[in-house]
Amino acid sequence: MIRIMLAEDDPAQALLTEMALNEVAPAHERVEIARFATGHDALAAVSGPPPDLALLDIRLPGASGFDVLAAIRAAPGWSEVPVVMLSMADDERDRQRAASLGANDYMVKPLGLDALEALLRGVLARWVIRS
């Protein structure tokens, strides 16, 4: 099972991302997506078990995706979680900030199926390396 944290406040965008992730997942892998609509909810989840991948919208109500990213990188057991920052804008300052906080990637929404499939392949490759 691939466990994914999705912090996205736009319900339509979250649903599209979930559907796309399930579509591109390998047939033998189940995808479990924990969706959070606010930064505060996502921050609270960082005290629990870590996911295999975190997708964080930069602009979330309550706390930003950058705040959640910083918490992930500081939390015991979470520091190695691949984190992809999501944004509607391809903003160089946001890209630089995400990189400085430890994001693994920055993607502009809407997310394409090819990009999501590559993300899941990367997560599966990490499992093989850890085994």
Side-chain angles (χ1 to χ4, degrees), residues 7 9 36-46 59-65 67-68:
D9 63 319
F36 304 94
T38 72
H40 289 302
D41 291 343
L43 283 170
V46 177
R59 286 160 188 51
L60 294 167
S64 73
D67 296 329
V68 178

Side-chain angles (χ1 to χ4, degrees), residues 69-70 72-73 79 81-85 95-105:
L69 172 58
I72 286 172
R73 290 296 176 240
S79 63
V81 172
V83 177
V84 178
M85 303 304 290
R95 281 183 182 276
Q96 290 175 357
R97 185 170 179 201
S100 72
L101 289 170
N104 298 85
D105 205 349

Side-chain angles (χ1 to χ4, degrees), residues 66-122:
F66 294 124
D67 296 329
V68 178
L69 172 58
I72 286 172
R73 290 296 176 240
W78 283 68
S79 63
E80 297 300 316
V81 172
V83 177
V84 178
M85 303 304 290
L86 308 176
S87 179
M88 292 298 287
D90 192 0
D91 184 287
E92 187 58 32
R93 287 175 297 179
D94 283 347
R95 281 183 182 276
Q96 290 175 357
R97 185 170 179 201
S100 72
L101 289 170
N104 298 85
D105 205 349
Y106 178 104
M107 298 176 73
V108 178
K109 298 184 283 184
L111 305 176
L113 292 179
D114 290 343
L116 289 171
E117 186 174 17
L119 279 174
L120 291 183
R121 272 198 314 267

